[in-house]
Amino acid sequence: MYILGLNVYHGDSSACLLKNGEIICAFEEERFTRKKHWAGFPVNSIHACLDEGGITIETLDYITVSRNPKYNFRKKIKFILSRPHVAFNFWNRVKNRSFVKDLSSDFTKYFSLSREFYESRIRFIEHHSSHLASAFFASPFEKSAILSVDAFGDFSSTVVAIGEGNKINRLGEVNFPHSIGQFYTAFTQYLGFLNYGDEYKVMGLAPYGIPKYMAEMECILKLSSEELKLFRLDLEYFTHHTQGVHTKIEELNDPTPSITFSKKIEQLFGPARLPNEPLAQKHFDLAASVQKHCENSIFHILRILHPIVNTDNICIAGGVAQNSVANGKITRSTKFKNLYVPPAGHDAGTSVGSALYLYNHILSQKRSEPMFNPYLGTYTSNAKIKQILSVSGLEYQYFEDYELCNRVAQLLADGNVVGWFQGKAEFGPRALGGRSILVDPRRGDAKELLNAKIKRRESFRPFAPSILKEYVDDFFEVKDSVPFMEKVFPIKPDVQHLIPAVTHVDGTGRLQTVDKEYSSKYHQLISEFYKLTGVPILLNTSFNENEPIVNIPEHALNCYFRTNMDVLVLENYLIIKDLNK
Ligand SMILES: [Fe+2]
């Protein structure tokens, strides 16, 4: 049975293909269009799915979409009717109708599908059911609590549920306009970060501040002790419920939201920071307060959930599940002992979630296998790379795996910045050794070096460590598997001086534990680096420069030429800039 799963007309549009419940590939459309968070119809990703599966679109048994315009429809209408005085145009019937119509016409336009075929195959899966499924049905747990925590989707922001076998039962939800994600986004905008997905910058800023505005935060986002009411926003601080959230999805496929904090936030904290204004201590303290309150809100929900579900397992997805700092504290701050967060916990992952929900929950098929492999995207063979390089005019060398890893490890230890392009591209926002830029983590000047040579990004943002799975507890306070860089853990104080490049200002690191089973060549490279230096860690940042992560060798070469990257490794081909001057 083939299911094509889609996230469409929404930030981070994507497609995946399920074959008999197994995820055989998944692609984010931004990697093809080269526009970050691209939010249109994922036509390139769909073609890539069909190619990878070796099938035509007529072979598909189902097409799932991670949105159901009919869900919460009565609540939407009730909400709009209760506020006739506001120009509320985001959640309206016309929009929902056009979503369904656009999808049908795009399928007809790009794939020449007959209306009968399309209508017999399409299934609309509610947004949070897709998030919940993307976590639980991909997890190794037979039974687990599940949390979808987000900005908004299908008129809800948060859903708590329990998963057992191939079923998910929802226990409660928080509806529009109350949202932890919206709370975080409004302060992200107030702090001068206006792009879609900039929330991670506030998370990076937080350790520089003191959470001295907790009393204010607790008034703006109030935690509720009433069972499953969970929390409420004080709406006077926001505008999304009166002005709507406007984006440029329809014209430009750009999901960047309009400003959603109200004047009352400026009355309380002073004028909002402009994007180019220097960061002051107040901004750091606000970031620290927002981050801490976000963490407290998640822990609050999980403490309510734990006694209801009778399990110590928890799965999390949704935009707020991208908060790796909060994720890293869950097993230490709540009674849950085991946490699974999928590689694409954000909206791109809902394509996978919608397909998994249909296969498992609706069709009641045999439970899907756990997902520990994030390498589900585009692949280019050595033969194809050789073809590309042979016409590039570059000097290059081919090495077998062992010799390649040995040489690259030495180049890293010698201080070179290395572009590492291997295997299938990662599905999800993190580079995990498939499309990565690597640096020696022992370098105190790595941040300056990377910023000067490759990425001109904010100096406060930390770089992340990839560590051999076998050595996690030599360096980190918590021994756990973190395959998708989805958790931040404290680094042991006595080893922080060994890896200054990946130790954040508060002594933490957003680690990736590298497992030989899923990342054999990357594991081999770090092992060779360990033999040379005694450090089983590399600094790993995404292979890009103010663009989506590179997808194909041409993107990697383009980035290599544009920047001052020293070394480029394309599968088994090694290119050294010094030899090409
Ligand atoms: Fe979402």
Side-chain angles (χ1 to χ4, degrees):
M1 179 194 296
Y2 285 102
I3 304 175
L4 177 72
L6 302 179
N7 173 42
V8 60
Y9 313 135
H10 204 90
D12 299 310
S13 106
S14 64
C16 77
L17 187 66
L18 242 65
K19 183 181 180 184
N20 299 326
E22 185 198 345
I23 307 158
I24 61 170
C25 58
F27 304 88
E28 288 176 73
E29 190 68 5
E30 65 161 29
R31 308 289 165 87
F32 299 102
T33 61
R34 311 307 298 154
K35 287 185 184 160
K36 274 190 176 182
H37 306 296
W38 201 82
F41 184 76
V43 61
N44 298 289
S45 302
I46 297 172
H47 278 300
C49 283
L50 299 175
D51 288 348
E52 180 68 27
I55 58 171
T56 64
I57 200 149
E58 288 79 14
T59 316
L60 293 172
D61 295 283
Y62 296 98
I63 300 165
T64 58
V65 177
S66 58
R67 186 167 159 190
N68 183 355
K70 290 184 181 160
Y71 189 82
N72 274 334
F73 187 68
R74 282 176 181 222
K75 284 180 186 164
K76 287 178 209 172
I77 294 298
K78 195 173 156 201
F79 181 86
I80 293 165
L81 292 177
S82 69
R83 291 160 173 81
H85 58 290
V86 296
F88 189 79
N89 57 14
F90 189 66
W91 304 100
N92 60 57
R93 195 171 177 174
V94 175
K95 174 102 180 169
N96 289 335
R97 274 187 174 166
S98 74
F99 161 75
V100 176
K101 213 172 86 195
D102 287 352
L103 191 59
S104 166
S105 66
D106 272 342
F107 263 109
T108 311
K109 183 166 104 190
Y110 291 112
F111 295 98
S112 309
L113 283 184
S114 74
R115 195 177 172 81
E116 293 71 35
F117 180 89
Y118 168 79
E119 286 184 354
S120 67
R121 300 300 195 269
I122 195 82
R123 297 290 183 275
F124 295 97
I125 309 292
E126 188 271 330
H127 187 78
H128 291 277
S129 292
S130 303
H131 272 313
L132 296 168
S134 78
F136 176 61
F137 292 132
S139 80
F141 308 138
E142 172 61 20
K143 179 178 179 183
S144 177
I146 325 170
L147 169 65
S148 173
V149 57
D150 216 348
F152 297 109
D154 285 329
F155 211 65
S156 306
S157 74
T158 307
V159 175
V160 286
I162 181 156
E164 200 160 2
N166 61 3
K167 296 291 172 205
I168 290 175
N169 288 315
R170 291 164 81 115
L171 300 170
E173 68 182 58
V174 177
N175 291 130
F176 187 90
H178 305 285
S179 161
I180 297 172
Q182 184 57 54
F183 161 82
Y184 211 106
T185 296
F187 275 101
T188 300
Q189 294 175 331
Y190 172 85
L191 288 168
F193 306 110
L194 304 181
N195 293 325
Y196 184 87
D198 270 353
E199 288 78 2
Y200 71 97
K201 294 183 181 175
V202 175
M203 189 177 81
L205 266 190
Y208 294 92
I210 295 162
K212 57 203 278 195
Y213 299 110
M214 293 310 289
E216 290 86 341
M217 294 299 148
E218 282 156 15
C219 290
I220 296 169
L221 171 62
K222 294 184 180 78
L223 304 182
S224 169
S225 52
E226 246 179 85
E227 196 176 78
L228 297 179
K229 190 176 174 187
L230 305 180
F231 61 86
R232 287 291 177 267
L233 291 179
D234 182 336
L235 294 170
E236 293 202 6
Y237 293 94
F238 302 90
T239 61
H240 61 283
H241 60 299
T242 55
Q243 309 297 316
V245 180
H246 303 276
T247 68
K248 293 179 186 153
I249 287 180
E250 288 188 25
E251 321 92 78
L252 300 171
N253 299 308
D254 174 5
T256 302
S258 52
I259 298 294
T260 54
F261 63 86
S262 78
K263 290 243 173 318
K264 198 159 173 187
I265 286 196
E266 292 194 291
Q267 285 162 12
L268 189 59
F269 298 113
R273 174 180 170 265
L274 299 171
N276 293 323
E277 204 180 315
L279 285 157
Q281 191 58 42
K282 183 185 84 172
H283 303 124
F284 299 137
D285 294 342
L286 263 167
S289 308
V290 169
Q291 173 63 25
K292 187 160 192 230
H293 196 44
C294 174
E295 291 168 18
N296 288 346
S297 305
I298 295 170
F299 304 153
H300 167 76
I301 296 169
L302 296 182
R303 285 179 196 131
I304 290 174
L305 192 55
H306 187 268
I308 302 170
V309 292
N310 195 27
T311 170
D312 290 335
N313 301 327
I314 176 72
C315 299
I316 300 190
V320 184
Q322 296 301 103
N323 196 306
S324 48
V325 174
N327 292 345
K329 293 178 182 173
I330 283 174
T331 54
R332 289 175 287 149
S333 304
T334 73
K335 288 189 175 165
F336 287 107
K337 293 194 177 80
N338 312 299
L339 166 65
Y340 180 85
V341 184
H346 64 326
D347 284 333
T350 62
S351 56
V352 173
S354 66
L356 286 173
Y357 190 81
L358 176 72
Y359 185 82
N360 291 275
H361 182 89
I362 297 177
L363 300 175
S364 298
Q365 297 291 308
K366 185 172 169 283
R367 172 78 185 267
S368 297
E369 290 295 315
M371 179 184 187
F372 292 118
N373 175 19
Y375 310 102
L376 296 164
T378 304
Y379 170 73
T380 311
S381 66
N382 269 316
K384 174 76 183 161
I385 289 168
K386 188 178 181 186
Q387 241 179 39
I388 295 166
L389 288 175
S390 63
V391 293
S392 69
L394 284 167
E395 200 170 307
Y396 57 89
Q397 295 167 286
Y398 175 92
F399 297 104
E400 293 297 333
D401 286 0
Y402 173 75
E403 182 63 16
L404 180 82
C405 291
N406 192 289
R407 284 176 181 252
V408 175
Q410 186 64 58
L411 287 162
L412 283 160
D414 291 344
N416 291 285
V417 176
V418 175
W420 179 253
F421 181 104
Q422 298 293 334
K424 291 185 175 180
E426 301 87 345
F427 182 58
R430 305 272 92 88
L432 300 167
R435 305 286 185 274
S436 294
I437 293 174
L438 307 173
V439 174
D440 182 344
R442 301 172 301 162
R443 293 186 66 126
D445 64 345
K447 197 179 269 188
E448 292 74 23
L449 181 80
L450 272 165
N451 278 335
K453 289 201 169 195
I454 319 279
K455 301 188 168 195
R456 282 152 210 92
R457 68 180 205 178
E458 294 90 345
S459 60
F460 61 82
R461 285 167 55 193
F463 284 104
S466 291
I467 178 168
L468 295 178
K469 191 180 168 185
E470 298 81 356
Y471 297 95
V472 172
D473 57 349
D474 290 350
F475 284 82
F476 288 87
E477 299 276 12
V478 185
K479 189 180 182 188
D480 195 1
S481 173
V482 190
F484 313 132
M485 226 179 242
E486 73 277 20
K487 297 168 195 164
V488 169
F489 287 152
I491 297 172
K492 288 185 171 173
D494 58 328
V495 294
Q496 289 179 10
H497 70 282
L498 296 175
I499 48 171
V502 292
T503 303
H504 201 14
V505 64
D506 58 351
T508 64
R510 189 187 67 198
L511 70 162
Q512 171 200 4
T513 55
V514 179
D515 189 329
K516 206 173 183 171
E517 194 180 339
Y518 302 105
S519 322
S520 63
K521 208 193 271 186
Y522 193 36
H523 190 280
Q524 195 173 1
L525 173 66
I526 305 175
S527 299
E528 291 303 317
F529 184 79
Y530 177 49
K531 280 187 212 160
L532 287 173
T533 65
V535 173
I537 296 173
L538 287 175
L539 180 157
N540 170 8
T541 185
S542 52
F543 196 150
N544 59 352
E545 187 231 2
N546 295 321
E547 60 182 331
I549 297 175
V550 301
N551 197 40
I552 53 175
E554 288 86 342
H555 299 157
L557 282 163
N558 196 301
C559 185
Y560 177 68
F561 285 126
R562 272 199 331 266
T563 63
N564 290 314
M565 195 182 293
D566 302 302
V567 175
L568 175 61
V569 188
L570 296 172
E571 286 292 335
N572 289 65
Y573 288 93
L574 178 66
I575 302 147
I576 298 175
K577 202 160 259 173
D578 277 350
L579 302 177
N580 279 289
K581 278 181 179 163

